[in-house]
Amino acid sequence: MKPSEDWDGNIPQLAERALGYTFQNKALLKQCFTHKSYGDSRKEEHNERLEFLGDAVLQLAVSEALYLREDTDEGRMTETRKRFVSREALNRAAKKADILKFMRYAGGEDTVGGKTPSNLFEAIVGAIYLDGGMNAARAFLKRYLEESEFCNYKSLLQEYVQERTKRPPEYTTQAVENGYGCTVRALGKEAEGFGASKKLAEVSAAEQLLKLFKERTE
């Protein structure tokens, strides 16, 4: 769907509902959904500056979350952060939020292909940060980016295991000091993971078991 030129009617409210965030400054909301092709053709401010800011906010928020949740070295945290902020991860998050349909753009639909979903996601992060601060940005990222990545590890393990057996992975999770510990078992192997929540612990365990299976095949 290509929104009307004036972004009128209930489009702004629908966009906010998809984001799970209500803007105080509606101009920021409109700007973050304005593609460069549309802004340049109509002399309006587009979302590239917001994208620049959103990238920095995203890097900080993810770095902070990893620092607080993982007792590990810099190298591993850096690799994990790369997965969270990759174009593929941001594209999945944008798809999960179903936000591309609100984009204001000029030209055909190929205009909003490629990097557009990930760029839009970063622009939204920047806009929410300006409008509501870091806590609002963190809440948005937790709702879409983190869940997208967390579900991916468990889904990847599920797919790997089900290609080889009908029995799904078995997760055992319990409270431990400063969070939760999880053990996942599949295909005669097991791995442990830890996290601040049960979901984080399960995802960490799934990631470790996937690494174990990968090491066996290399």
Side-chain angles (χ1 to χ4, degrees), residues 107-195:
E109 291 188 1
D110 57 337
T111 303
V112 289
K115 297 189 297 182
T116 301
S118 58
N119 291 347
L120 171 59
F121 192 85
E122 289 179 333
I124 290 169
V125 172
I128 290 177
Y129 170 77
L130 288 177
D131 191 72
M134 196 66 186
N135 285 338
R138 287 192 193 99
F140 173 73
L141 291 172
K142 184 175 182 179
R143 181 175 184 180
Y144 290 112
L145 179 65
E146 292 188 353
E147 285 189 3
S148 174
E149 284 298 281
F150 293 163
C151 293
N152 190 46
Y153 280 126
K154 293 184 70 175
S155 296
L156 288 174
L157 178 61
Q158 181 93 356
E159 291 171 6
Y160 182 94
V161 171
Q162 289 191 336
E163 287 176 356
R164 294 158 176 81
T165 180
K166 293 183 179 180
R167 187 173 182 178
E170 296 179 359
Y171 293 87
T172 303
T173 308
Q174 60 183 5
V176 296
E177 186 176 358
N178 298 323
Y180 292 84
C182 175
T183 300
V184 59
R185 301 175 179 85
L187 303 176
K189 298 291 182 180
E190 67 178 48
E192 295 183 343
F194 300 91

Side-chain angles (χ1 to χ4, degrees), residues 78-92:
T78 299
E79 289 303 311
T80 303
R81 182 178 62 191
K82 286 180 182 178
R83 293 196 295 272
F84 272 80
V85 302
S86 68
R87 185 193 301 181
E88 292 77 12
L90 299 185
N91 282 344
R92 286 195 299 270

